[in-house]
């Protein structure tokens, strides 16, 4: 039986990955959960940190080291940016299947990485949005996959049917309203309840690290390949008093009629198990995707402009769910295995 390690197990993304793995039909059949590792929490009882994950309550968090991880067939790395690349550089088996939930291997452009992250570029891995054309096959053949950022997931999937069909111009304005769990568990005054409740705040305007990732994805989606300067992305994230969830709107010039645009979205979503295009006039809501791997979508056209909207759970489809979806493909398992599609609401 294969063993999966989860690094950063006590964080929000790591805990979500474990929730999904414990409910996976392959748990105890195709794989077992091996080491749970942490940083400053190493040595602590896992049940005290994550009491909801009762089957793992008696575990002790181990140090996140290459030696610990190398004893496993697979690993989900839910670590701060920069840590995964250091671990890989220190040596992990080439045949070990790894999904990195951090940003370390997402960007292909070295200059953009250094501009936005301020550290040397570690390279790039297969990019983990299976719904992007050609990516499902690439993920299935890979041993190293970079899970996408949560904002790029919502933005890319909202724009993808329109851009891939040539119905949406790739000059997009993206506004994403997000819950606080996307910032992780590290204490911050800006994330205190007194700072976030009854408040909305834009942040990282024109500087957010996910902007180049969104643009990289849209460049790939434009019919005919890289169109260079023809692709423009303006990205504004907004912090809302939510625990989890991202609501994204993408606005861009239309290149087709309302009927043609609608048809492009219907055709794209028809065969995708985690994409749901809502009936016309009904807008996505974060509560309807909470805890699921679903993306709820809507698209409207008026006065020559498209507004495409998506709702995702930032911890599931936006992070840990994407990681499990990719591991399913990498192992030849059912892509949907262990991934909820129905929200508690």
């Amino acid at each position: 039986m294969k063993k999966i390690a989860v690094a950063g197990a006590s964080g929000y993304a790591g805990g979500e990955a474990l929730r999904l793995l414990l409910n996976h039909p392959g748990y105890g059949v195709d794989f077992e959960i091996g080491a749970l590792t942490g940083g400053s929490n190493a040595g602590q009882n896992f049940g005290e940190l994550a009491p909801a994950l009762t089957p793992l309550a008696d575990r002790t968090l181990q140090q996140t080291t290459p030696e610990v991880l190398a004893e496993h067939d697979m690993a989900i790395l839910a670590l701060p940016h920069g840590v995964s690349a250091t671990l890989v550089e220190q040596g992990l088996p080439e045949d070990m299947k790894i999904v990195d939930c951090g940003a370390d291997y997402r960007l292909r452009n070295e200059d953009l990485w250094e501009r936005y992250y301020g550290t040397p570029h570690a390279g790039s891995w297969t990019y983990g949005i299976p719904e992007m054309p050609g990516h499902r096959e690439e993920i299935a053949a890979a041993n190293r996959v970079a899970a996408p950022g949560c904002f790029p997931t919502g933005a890319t999937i909202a724009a993808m049917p329109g851009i891939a069909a040539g119905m949406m111009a790739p000059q997009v304005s993206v506004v994403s309203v997000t819950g606080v769990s996307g910032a992780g568990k590290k204490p911050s005054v800006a994330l205190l309840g007194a700072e976030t409740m009854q408040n909305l705040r834009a942040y990282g305007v024109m500087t957010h690290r996910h902007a180049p990732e969104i643009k990289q994805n849209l460049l790939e989606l434009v019919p005919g390949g890289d169109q260079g300067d023809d692709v423009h992305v303006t990205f504004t994230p907004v912090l809302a008093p939510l625990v989890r969830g991202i609501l994204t709107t993408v606005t861009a010039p239309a290149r087709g009629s309302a009927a043609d645009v609608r048809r492009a979205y219907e055709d794209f979503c028809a065969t995708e198990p985690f994409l749901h295009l809502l009936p016309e006039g009904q807008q996505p809501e974060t509560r309807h995707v909470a805890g699921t791997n679903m993306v709820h979508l809507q698209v409207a056209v008026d006065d020559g402009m498209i507004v495409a909207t998506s709702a995702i759970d930032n911890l599931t489809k936006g992070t840990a769910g994407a990681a499990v979806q990719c591991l399913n493909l990498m192992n030849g398992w059912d892509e949907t295995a262990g991934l909820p599609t129905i929200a508690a609401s």
Side-chain angles (χ1 to χ4, degrees):
M1 189 181 300
K2 295 180 178 180
K3 292 173 62 178
I4 300 179
V6 176
S10 61
Y12 291 131
E16 184 75 351
L18 289 168
R19 179 181 76 89
L20 298 172
L21 292 173
L22 287 169
N23 286 289
H24 194 292
Y27 175 54
V29 179
D30 298 312
F31 67 85
E32 60 182 356
I33 297 173
L36 311 181
T37 80
S40 60
N41 291 325
Q44 291 187 249
N45 175 264
F46 187 65
E48 295 176 0
L49 299 169
L53 300 173
T54 51
L56 305 172
D58 62 348
R59 300 286 194 93
T60 298
L61 280 173
Q62 298 177 242
Q63 290 283 351
T64 304
T65 67
E67 292 76 19
V68 168
L69 297 178
E71 297 175 356
H72 298 75
D73 303 285
M74 294 170 272
I76 293 176
L77 306 182
L79 300 167
H81 301 323
V83 178
S84 296
T86 299
L87 285 170
V88 172
E89 288 171 4
Q90 291 172 349
L92 291 173
E94 290 293 328
D95 60 349
M96 183 180 183
K97 297 184 186 297
I98 301 172
V99 180
D100 181 25
C101 294
D104 293 19
Y105 296 100
R106 292 177 192 157
L107 294 183
R108 294 188 289 270
N109 186 294
E110 180 178 348
D111 293 337
L112 284 175
W113 171 269
E114 293 181 355
R115 172 184 167 189
Y116 280 86
Y117 290 89
T119 59
H121 188 231
S124 60
W125 289 355
T126 298
Y127 189 71
I129 295 184
E131 292 83 2
M132 290 180 68
H135 281 238
R136 187 167 274 114
E137 296 76 16
E138 292 176 3
I139 293 166
N143 283 342
R144 302 284 195 270
V145 171
C150 52
F151 287 129
T153 297
T156 300
I157 293 177
M160 182 160 50
I163 289 183
M167 295 290 165
M168 176 188 286
Q171 294 88 42
V172 304
S173 173
V174 179
V175 178
S176 295
V177 181
T178 182
V180 297
S181 60
K185 280 189 175 180
K186 186 177 180 180
S188 168
V189 171
L191 299 177
L192 290 173
E195 302 293 328
T196 57
M197 290 187 295
Q198 300 181 23
N199 190 34
L200 293 170
R201 181 175 73 248
Y203 67 100
V205 178
M206 307 300 284
T207 63
H208 197 282
R209 290 171 168 179
H210 283 178
E213 186 180 341
I214 297 170
K215 183 172 182 178
Q216 174 177 277
N217 294 349
L218 300 191
L219 279 166
E220 184 178 328
L221 292 169
V222 173
D226 188 341
Q227 301 298 306
D229 293 338
D230 291 341
V231 177
H232 298 277
V233 174
T234 302
F235 175 52
T236 305
V238 177
L239 185 66
L242 308 169
V243 174
R244 56 203 295 165
I246 297 177
L247 183 71
T248 296
T249 59
V250 176
T251 306
R255 288 179 171 171
S257 68
D260 289 340
V261 171
R262 179 78 189 180
R263 190 175 306 110
Y265 275 75
E266 289 172 343
D267 291 346
F268 196 99
C269 295
T271 58
E272 289 294 342
F274 297 117
L275 305 189
H276 176 55
L277 181 64
L278 295 168
E280 291 187 68
Q282 182 179 353
Q283 284 294 326
E285 300 180 37
T286 57
R287 66 189 177 116
H288 295 153
V289 296
T292 80
N293 206 54
M294 294 298 294
V295 184
H296 283 191
L297 295 160
Q298 186 55 274
V299 63
V301 180
D302 186 51
D303 197 24
M305 298 296 291
I306 295 176
V307 176
T309 314
S310 71
I312 65 170
D313 186 315
N314 59 295
L315 295 180
T316 315
K317 181 58 173 170
T319 309
V324 172
Q325 187 177 352
C326 289
L327 275 183
N328 285 339
L329 290 167
M330 295 161 77
N331 285 283
W333 302 331
D334 181 348
E335 182 180 344
T336 67
L339 295 169
T341 58
I342 307 299
S345 62

